[in-house]
Amino acid sequence: DPVGPENVLTLMAGVTTGAAISGQSRLNANAKSPISGGIGDSQSGGFFPAELKFAGFDGIVIKGRSAKPVYLAIVDGNYELRDAAHLMGKLTGEVDDIIHKEVDPKAEILQHGIGAENGVLFSSLCSMSNRHNGRTGMGLVMASKNLKAVVVRGKQKVNVANQKALTELNRIGPKAIPENGDMDGLAKHGTAVVVLFNNTIGTLPTRNYNEGQFESCEPISGEKMSETILKERDTCYACVVKCKRVVEIKDGPYKVDPRYGGPEYETLGTFGSYCGIDNLAAVSLANQICNEYAVDSIAAGATIAFAMECYEKGIITKEQTAGLDLKFGNHEAMIQALYMMVKGDGEFGKTLGMGSQRAAEKWGNGADE
């Protein structure tokens, strides 16, 4: 049983993680997936993987189930389980703030969120309130073990065989970025730089991927994000590319907090073109909601896009959508559907939280097609 105590969750860093090399601060999470029933392999970046190494560990193997909610604190090679009852039902940013006060302001925190507590199959593990081990439901697995978070802090340095050679290698990166068109674009506009390119070659998933081009792609492009709502560029440990977006929106109906980062290409795709939506503020808020509740933004957006197609084709009705006019392009309905999903709100919200395949099985009426 993927959510039974016998499932084993592993959190492993790579051999080079913790060394000052761009792109190497990576964490691999594995367990039996509650979505596929197969191996739930998932990766994330940020600073947690390197800090795990600095705290004295290459990886963690988690078995069984705690009798009560706990979090694992690992500080300078020492580890203990602490009570986590006061962290349940809180947004990722709130949990980060509380644990930073309890453990160390500079600690890195990997947590499951309210989405997992509400049974969302594709809930993820989230660090920094915006980096995810997503896709395969590892958040639900961690939640099933009553483990709210893993917290790491340490001062150990990774031993490098030839520090001089590594230092010389690292000096190449910053100079090479402007000379490499792909890296330069990634640095300036993040992964969202490929929105316009994919649209040009017909591979931008549009209206539940019934089409490969979106006529309104420009307003949700990386270039438009940079021009309008980008607050700053963030990075992962020791990486010079700085592709991570940090966006902020202070005015209008969709206000966005920069602590929750900004949308990647896939998120712009699933909540944007997948849903026929060209409202960058709405897509950015959807990204924030996924980060607050720790759910995978790709599965969340694609499931809503699937529901939109079912609604447009009469497979499901307003009665089943709890009154939402779930048409392609309706960004207000998309945001409402997402909140229902992550909160497990009503029959429709719980069904969306199962993902598109299980929702299709439940709705029938040709939904599987």
Side-chain angles (χ1 to χ4, degrees), residues 45 58 69 83 109 179 235 290 334:
D58 293 308
D83 182 71
I109 302 157
E179 300 168 6
T235 191
C290 289
M334 179 271 286

Side-chain angles (χ1 to χ4, degrees), residues 36-54:
S36 69
I39 296 171
D41 179 84
S42 179
Q43 294 84 40
S44 67
F47 287 78
F48 180 93
E51 195 69 31
L52 175 63
K53 282 290 195 76
F54 302 155

Side-chain angles (χ1 to χ4, degrees), residues 242-311:
K242 299 180 74 172
C243 72
K244 180 66 181 170
R245 307 292 92 181
V246 178
V247 304
E248 183 175 32
I249 303 175
K250 295 181 179 180
D251 303 313
Y254 302 128
K255 294 177 177 62
V256 177
D257 185 343
R259 86 172 296 167
Y260 292 102
E264 301 284 345
Y265 158 69
E266 293 89 349
T267 310
L268 290 161
T270 55
F271 286 110
S273 55
Y274 257 82
C275 291
I277 290 170
D278 63 1
N279 187 310
L280 182 58
V283 174
S284 297
L285 178 59
N287 175 74
Q288 175 173 312
I289 294 166
C290 289
N291 287 336
E292 289 175 320
Y293 288 80
V295 300
D296 177 58
S297 65
I298 303 176
T303 299
I304 291 172
F306 157 74
M308 284 179 164
E309 183 177 354
C310 287
Y311 181 79

Side-chain angles (χ1 to χ4, degrees), residues 179-194:
E179 300 168 6
N180 183 314
D182 290 337
M183 283 299 105
D184 191 46
L186 190 63
K188 289 176 179 175
H189 306 302
T191 56
V193 72
V194 301

Side-chain angles (χ1 to χ4, degrees), residues 87-346:
L87 303 175
M88 305 305 287
K90 288 182 165 51
L91 301 176
T92 55
E94 296 172 329
V95 171
D96 280 353
D97 289 343
I98 294 169
I99 291 179
H100 280 144
K101 290 178 182 177
E102 292 180 354
V103 179
D104 189 302
K106 294 184 178 180
E108 293 296 334
I109 302 157
L110 184 74
Q111 59 174 298
H112 77 253
I114 301 174
E117 293 170 25
N118 290 333
V120 176
L121 271 183
F122 41 86
S123 51
S124 55
L125 301 176
C126 185
S127 66
M128 302 177 73
S129 298
N130 55 47
R131 309 306 215 282
H132 290 252
N133 291 87
R135 309 300 293 126
T136 58
M138 295 299 98
L140 190 62
V141 173
M142 184 183 274
S144 74
K145 299 188 173 302
N146 252 340
L147 180 64
K148 179 60 181 174
V150 176
V151 185
V152 292
R153 177 70 177 133
K155 299 180 180 66
Q156 297 185 36
K157 295 300 178 185
V158 172
N159 292 322
V160 177
N162 190 335
Q163 184 60 57
K164 182 180 177 182
L166 182 58
T167 301
E168 290 174 356
L169 183 65
N170 282 338
R171 289 187 180 132
I172 298 171
K175 297 176 184 177
I177 287 176
E179 300 168 6
N180 183 314
D182 290 337
M183 283 299 105
D184 191 46
L186 190 63
K188 289 176 179 175
H189 306 302
T191 56
V193 72
V194 301
V195 168
L196 295 181
F197 172 74
N198 280 359
N199 192 69
T200 300
I201 64 172
T203 58
L204 183 65
T206 301
R207 285 177 276 270
N208 202 29
Y209 223 157
N210 282 285
E211 302 159 67
Q213 290 181 306
F214 185 38
E215 68 280 0
S216 299
C217 63
E218 196 275 334
I220 58 168
S221 66
E223 290 81 353
K224 180 60 69 174
M225 196 193 315
S226 297
E227 292 171 12
T228 55
I229 63 174
L230 186 69
K231 180 180 174 67
E232 60 184 288
R233 291 161 52 201
D234 197 4
T235 191
C236 299
Y237 174 76
C239 187
V240 299
V241 180
K242 299 180 74 172
C243 72
K244 180 66 181 170
R245 307 292 92 181
V246 178
V247 304
E248 183 175 32
I249 303 175
K250 295 181 179 180
D251 303 313
Y254 302 128
K255 294 177 177 62
V256 177
D257 185 343
R259 86 172 296 167
Y260 292 102
E264 301 284 345
Y265 158 69
E266 293 89 349
T267 310
L268 290 161
T270 55
F271 286 110
S273 55
Y274 257 82
C275 291
I277 290 170
D278 63 1
N279 187 310
L280 182 58
V283 174
S284 297
L285 178 59
N287 175 74
Q288 175 173 312
I289 294 166
C290 289
N291 287 336
E292 289 175 320
Y293 288 80
V295 300
D296 177 58
S297 65
I298 303 176
T303 299
I304 291 172
F306 157 74
M308 284 179 164
E309 183 177 354
C310 287
Y311 181 79
E312 293 243 348
K313 292 183 173 177
I315 292 169
I316 57 174
T317 65
K318 251 188 184 180
E319 186 177 349
Q320 288 163 291
T321 66
L324 294 184
D325 187 23
L326 209 60
K327 291 180 179 177
F328 286 123
N330 189 340
H331 49 85
E332 292 98 341
M334 179 271 286
I335 292 293
Q336 287 178 276
L338 178 58
Y339 270 125
M340 292 174 73
M341 171 194 289
V342 298
K343 293 179 179 181
D345 186 9

